Amino acid sequence: MCGIVGYFGNKNGAEVVVDGLKRLEYRGYDSWGLAAVGEGKLIKHKQVGKIGGFDLKRDLPKFGGEICIGHTRWATHGGVTETNSHPHFSCDKKIAVVHNGIVENYQELRSDLEKKGHKFVSQTDTEVIAHLIEQTLKITKDKTEAVRQSLKKLQGSYALGIIFEDEKLMIGARKGSPLVLGVGKDQTILGSDVPAFLKYTNKVVFLEEFEMVAISDQIKGGYEIKNVNSGKTVKPKITTIKWDATEAEKGGHPHFMIKEMLEQPQVIEKTIGMGKGELDKAAKMIEKAKRVYVVACGTALHAGMYGSYLLAKINKIMVQPISAGELHHFAPLFKKGDLVICVSQSGETADVLEAVKSAHSAGAKVLALVNVMGSSLMRAADFSLLTKAGPEICVLSTKAYVSQMAMFVMISGALSGKISNAKKVLGIAKKDIEKILSKKSLEKIKKMSKSLAKAQNIYALGRGINYPNALEACLKIKEVSYIHAEGFAGGDLKHGPIALIEKGVPVIIFASDDESEAEIISNAMEVKARGADVIGINYRNNEVFEQYLPIEKNGFYSPIASIVYPQLMAYYIALEKKFDPDKPRNLAKSVTVK
Ligand code: G6P
């Protein structure tokens, strides 16, 4: 996964790169490193652990240079050591490379280069790139051309930042991993995503597959983009990003997680403000389709499941949810006339992008619900609706989930020709979330979470429209508190899960004013009779609830507000257990490898 940043300009590049890496830590935080060209020398710094508390001025005051690359790592090839952390270097230490992706043929390339005398110091796949460029430079003196020739030999995926000791040049390239170019006045910045440099510029160029960029004072306009395969120059398409730079800052909050949860009412407000035209276009695609699937991973899959219940109940349309990681078992059955709705916050999840390929090769269409503008998913889909979460930095997805659910509500409204009703119910959800996020309510959840933090297991139950929330609640809790948590459909309780219920185990019940209220309350009674501590989320209290968390009456739209309670629980449990909620162990926000 990993995150990369590169700076070319007139500032101290290392400061910009360290700042950018801190924003990219959601992509990996095993170790990090920098390389800069300062006064004609290539200097480096590598460190195991998170970059979070690092302060360049304090910890490395002499480190600097106007050209700098940096990397925050999520290890795939080679253990978490200083040596394996990026940047990696050529034998003569004059070429430095940072890389996100996997070089699949690195063993073959490495043994070939070793035969030619190259000495490797790490166990990574990345190091091979630095040596390959060094080797190619023996034949081709032009550095950009040597990089291009080297890239043609790589199999697998890459987003790269490359700098040289003996030339004021920075090269970036992408294939299968995201890379964005920020173009500002007197500075050009490379980043794995936009928030990495949004503070410095909102003018960006999203590099396409097999594109590379050479950044140099010698090039008119400061940079030139080429196609790796053909070597032909590509005209850059500059996009202005509408996100506000402060949205990607903590803004005085201790963690991105709480900040992003608190932003959920605004996310709904922005969704309500969407244009009818784009919603109608998406609705038409659904109406026209012979069969409709929703494909996504993790939290986005849960939002897709919510969408499938909603479209079934309100619009009488059958939408089959499939986990993107499992899709290849079903993809051969896609046909022309099918529609695949891909839901993704990042728009870079490898399995989701694979789903797009499968759909297209079968002649099916793809509708994307995606948060990141210019992402690979957005570019590959036939049509995209941009969800309104704004930059989501915390590894745990909270506001993106709510934005995706809200988007399905708007789509459902467009399908039934009642967008005004969709806006109305979203308005109720927004007010409800505001109440859940009030000071008094936060205190209540915090207090509850103290005892939840002692639990060994936590379960959640929901039926119908509330079932995806049972899954999502437990995903949040396990991701950040490391407590075993599992969500079940109420109807499945007697088919196994009830055996797990014992005295004192917390069970969260998602109920609402829909047809399954009575049934889920019966489930609550069944688990209570076996000793469970029932935490009930509903529009009305019930004697079966040990603890009651209120929501408004909002029918099939209640889950949009009710998920906020377990999101908050997950956060406060993590704090109680002294875990960093923004950086849960082993996880990365964007899974760009399979
Ligand atoms: C990872 C993240 C989840 C996220 C999922 C899908 O598993 O940890 O938070 O929901 O990927 O990511 P996407 O960017 O496609 O929504």
Side-chain angles (χ1 to χ4, degrees), residues 257 260-261 264-265 268 299 302-303 306 396-406 429 432-433 436-437 445 460-462 465-477 479 487 508-512 536-538 549-552 556-571:
M257 186 173 175
E260 289 167 3
M261 289 188 290
Q264 294 182 114
I268 296 185
T299 293
H302 297 154
Y306 172 75
L396 272 80
S397 188
T398 54
K399 63 174 179 168
Y401 181 60
V402 160
S403 76
Q404 290 156 350
M405 287 201 286
D432 208 3
I433 296 181
I436 298 170
L437 293 172
I445 312 292
L461 293 175
I465 203 93
N466 283 304
Y467 171 46
N469 263 6
L471 301 177
E472 176 60 12
C474 291
L475 179 64
K476 288 295 85 99
I477 293 169
E479 276 181 319
I508 304 167
I509 300 287
F510 286 95
S512 55
I537 307 178
N538 199 8
L549 300 170
I551 51 165
E552 286 300 316
F556 296 141
Y557 312 98
S558 312
I560 301 174
S562 58
I563 193 60
V564 179
Y565 281 120
Q567 289 176 344
L568 290 165
M569 285 173 198
Y571 176 70

Side-chain angles (χ1 to χ4, degrees), residues 347-362:
E348 300 296 345
T349 301
D351 287 326
V352 176
L353 297 178
E354 201 56 37
V356 177
K357 279 193 202 150
S358 315
H360 280 159
S361 62

Side-chain angles (χ1 to χ4, degrees), residues 22-39:
K22 286 184 181 175
R23 286 162 214 282
L24 287 179
E25 266 202 308
Y26 70 82
R27 302 178 67 87
Y29 31 81
D30 296 340
S31 53
W32 61 275
L34 308 167
V37 192
E39 290 161 18

Side-chain angles (χ1 to χ4, degrees), residues 52 67 88 128 230 295 313-314 338 368 377 411-412 421 468 547 582:
I67 306 175
H88 290 285
V128 86
S230 67
V295 175
K313 287 188 180 291
I314 308 277
D338 289 347
L377 175 60
I411 294 173
S412 164
N421 186 55
Q547 302 188 71
D582 283 345

Side-chain angles (χ1 to χ4, degrees), residues 297-300 344-346 349 395 397 479 588-589 591:
C297 291
T299 293
S344 174
Q345 188 285 125
S346 63
T349 301
V395 170
S397 188
E479 276 181 319
K589 185 158 189 64
V591 183

Side-chain angles (χ1 to χ4, degrees), residues 63-85:
F63 198 95
E66 292 175 351
I67 306 175
C68 181
I69 51 175
H71 184 272
T72 178
R73 181 167 187 245
W74 193 80
T76 53
H77 290 64
V80 180
T81 62
E82 208 177 289
T83 312
N84 285 337
S85 61

Side-chain angles (χ1 to χ4, degrees), residues 125-174:
D125 53 327
T126 303
E127 196 185 348
V128 86
I129 304 172
H131 292 278
L132 191 58
I133 299 168
E134 183 176 39
Q135 184 63 28
T136 316
L137 273 169
K138 291 188 177 152
I139 312 152
T140 319
K141 292 289 162 229
D142 181 90
K143 293 200 168 58
T144 309
E145 187 52 24
V147 169
R148 190 175 81 82
Q149 294 300 342
S150 307
L151 294 181
K152 283 168 81 172
K153 296 195 175 123
L154 302 182
Q155 285 165 16
S157 57
Y158 55 74
L160 292 166
I162 305 161
I163 58 173
F164 306 87
E165 183 173 276
D166 48 9
E167 190 172 330
K168 276 188 89 183
L169 173 69
M170 179 165 79
I171 295 179
R174 80 158 275 178

